[in-house]
Amino acid sequence: MSDENVFDMNKNSSNKDIKRYTKIGITILGFIVLVFLIISSMFVVKEGEYKVVRQFGEVIRYEKDPGLKFRVPILHSVTTLPNKKIVYDVTEKEINTLDKKRMIIDNYAVWEITDPAAMIANARTEINAESRMGEFIFSVIRSELGAMNYDEIINEEGSTRGDLNSRVTKRVNDLLSRDNYGIQVDDVRIKRTDLPDENEQSVFQRMISERESKAQEYLSQGEAEKNRIIAQTDRDVKEMLSKANAEAEEIRAQGETEAAKIYNNSFKQDEDFYQLYRTLESYKKTIDGETTIILPQGSPYTDLLLGYFE
C-alpha cells in the first residue's frame, strides 16, 4: 500500500487541539478586553470634586453629584477639579499710595469653581485660574489703595476707605465674569500692610512721636481736670465750713442766752448763794499755784477763807 494513502490520526488530532486552544485564548482575551473596557468606562465622583469629561480636548459634560459615572473608554478623558472653597495666598507686592508712600500688600482670597466647563475652556488649569485671579486682585487693590493716603490705610479710626474688602471682591468678580473664567471669589482680605525695610524705621519714629504728643495732650487734659476738681472741692469745703461755723455761732449764742437766763433765775432765788458762786468762780481765774494774796482783815475774801460767815 502506498504511503500517500495512509491517514495520519496523530496529526489530525494535533490540529484540532491547536484550534480549540486558540479559540479558548481568543475567548479569554476578549473577556479581558471587555472587562477592561467596562472598568475603563467607569469613574467615581467623590464629595467636594467635579469630574470634567472631555472629548478630543473639548468639554462635553461635567459631573458634580457623588457616585459612579460612565464614559466612553479611550474616546473620553476625565479631569478632576475641586468643588469646594479654596484659599489662595496671593503673592505680596508693592504699591504706591496717593501721597507717594510705598507699601507692601499681603492678602489672600477665598474662591470656588462655579462653571468647570468655562474654567477648562478659558483658564485650562486650576493654577492658571489662580494666576489670573491674583493678577486681577493686585490690579484692583493697587487702584483702590493708590487713591488713598498712607495714614488713611493704616489708621482704621480715621480711614475713609469704608469696606475695602467688599469693593475689591466685587470688582474682581466683575473682571472674572467678563472673561468667563467660570470661577468666583467669595472674599478678599488684606492680611498685612508693611513698609519697605528702608522706610520702616523712619515711619516708626514718626508714629512714636505722634503717640507721645497725643499722650502729652491727654496728660495735660488730665492735669487740668484734676485742678478743676481740686478747686471745686476747696470751694465746697469752704462753703461747708462757713455754714457750719455760722450754725455753731448761732447755737453758741442760743446757749449763752439760755445760760444767762439760768444765772438770772438762780440769782433771784438765792442772792447770797449766787454771790458766793461768783466769788468762787473769780478765785479760779485769779488764784493759781504761784499766786500770793495779801488780804486785809475783815474783807469778804478773808472772811470766806477763814470761815467767818454772818
Side-chain angles (χ1 to χ4, degrees):
M1 183 180 290
S2 174
D3 294 338
E4 294 179 356
N5 295 324
V6 177
F7 183 74
D8 190 349
M9 296 297 294
N10 293 330
K11 184 177 181 181
N12 187 41
S13 175
S14 177
N15 289 335
K16 288 182 178 180
D17 291 341
I18 291 173
K19 290 180 180 179
R20 185 172 70 253
Y21 292 145
T22 301
K23 186 176 182 180
I24 293 173
I26 292 173
T27 303
I28 293 173
L29 180 62
F31 179 77
I32 292 173
V33 171
L34 179 62
V35 171
F36 173 76
L37 290 175
I38 293 174
I39 294 175
S40 298
S41 68
M42 296 186 297
F43 60 93
V44 177
V45 180
K46 297 179 181 179
E47 189 73 33
E49 68 178 14
Y50 292 109
K51 292 291 187 180
V52 182
V53 180
R54 294 192 289 179
Q55 180 175 310
F56 305 119
E58 296 295 328
V59 177
I60 59 174
R61 77 175 196 276
Y62 65 87
E63 304 285 352
K64 65 178 181 179
D65 296 326
L68 183 64
K69 311 295 179 180
F70 295 90
R71 66 185 179 96
V72 177
I74 302 174
L75 188 63
H76 292 167
S77 63
V78 178
T79 301
T80 302
L81 293 175
N83 182 17
K84 58 185 177 181
K85 307 290 184 183
I86 308 167
V87 177
Y88 174 52
D89 194 1
V90 184
T91 304
E92 62 181 35
K93 293 184 179 180
E94 187 175 294
I95 67 166
N96 291 321
T97 63
L98 183 62
D99 52 354
K100 308 305 180 185
K101 299 285 181 62
R102 290 188 301 155
M103 292 186 65
I104 297 175
I105 302 299
D106 188 10
N107 56 282
Y108 71 91
V110 178
W111 68 285
E112 61 182 323
I113 299 172
T114 55
D115 188 346
M119 201 219 80
I120 292 291
N122 296 294
R124 298 298 177 186
T125 65
E126 182 182 341
I127 294 176
N128 290 340
E130 285 189 333
S131 177
R132 293 297 295 150
M133 179 180 61
E135 292 174 3
F136 288 150
I137 291 172
F138 173 68
S139 176
V140 172
I141 289 180
R142 181 177 59 186
S143 174
E144 289 283 344
L145 299 186
M148 299 167 56
N149 292 322
Y150 173 78
D151 290 341
E152 291 179 305
I153 296 173
I154 65 172
N155 184 6
E156 290 287 348
E157 295 179 359
S159 176
T160 58
R161 69 188 188 187
D163 193 353
L164 175 65
N165 295 323
S166 296
R167 294 204 308 273
V168 171
T169 301
K170 182 180 183 306
R171 289 184 58 185
V172 170
N173 279 325
D174 290 342
L175 294 173
L176 292 171
S177 176
R178 180 198 66 187
D179 294 344
N180 193 28
Y181 278 107
I183 63 176
Q184 173 181 299
V185 176
D186 295 325
D187 193 16
V188 175
R189 292 283 165 177
I190 296 177
K191 296 191 297 183
R192 184 169 54 93
T193 55
D194 286 338
L195 289 167
D197 293 339
E198 60 270 21
N199 296 346
E200 198 171 71
Q201 193 60 36
S202 62
V203 173
F204 282 166
Q205 291 300 326
R206 182 170 62 83
M207 292 175 65
I208 290 172
S209 177
E210 290 176 354
R211 296 299 183 271
E212 288 178 347
S213 176
K214 197 68 175 177
Q216 188 59 45
E217 180 183 346
Y218 288 151
L219 288 173
S220 298
Q221 292 175 355
E223 186 69 20
E225 183 66 13
K226 183 193 78 170
N227 293 335
R228 186 191 66 79
I229 293 172
I230 290 175
Q232 182 63 42
T233 303
D234 290 343
R235 284 195 297 270
D236 292 343
V237 169
K238 288 180 180 179
E239 290 178 2
M240 293 172 65
L241 289 175
S242 177
K243 184 177 179 181
N245 288 333
E247 292 178 353
E249 289 296 331
E250 183 179 353
I251 294 172
R252 188 179 295 107
Q254 292 175 355
E256 290 178 352
T257 301
E258 187 67 24
K261 289 180 181 179
I262 294 173
Y263 286 148
N264 290 334
N265 291 335
S266 299
F267 180 74
K268 291 177 181 179
Q269 293 177 9
D270 191 340
E271 295 184 2
D272 291 338
F273 173 77
Y274 182 72
Q275 185 65 35
L276 174 62
Y277 174 77
R278 298 286 290 178
T279 301
L280 294 176
E281 286 296 316
S282 68
Y283 288 166
K284 292 181 181 179
K285 297 179 180 181
T286 58
I287 299 175
D288 56 24
E290 299 179 356
T291 303
T292 301
I293 301 176
I294 301 175
L295 299 174
Q297 188 174 3
S299 70
Y301 272 11
T302 304
D303 292 341
L304 287 172
L305 291 173
L306 295 176
Y308 299 147
F309 298 100
E310 297 181 355

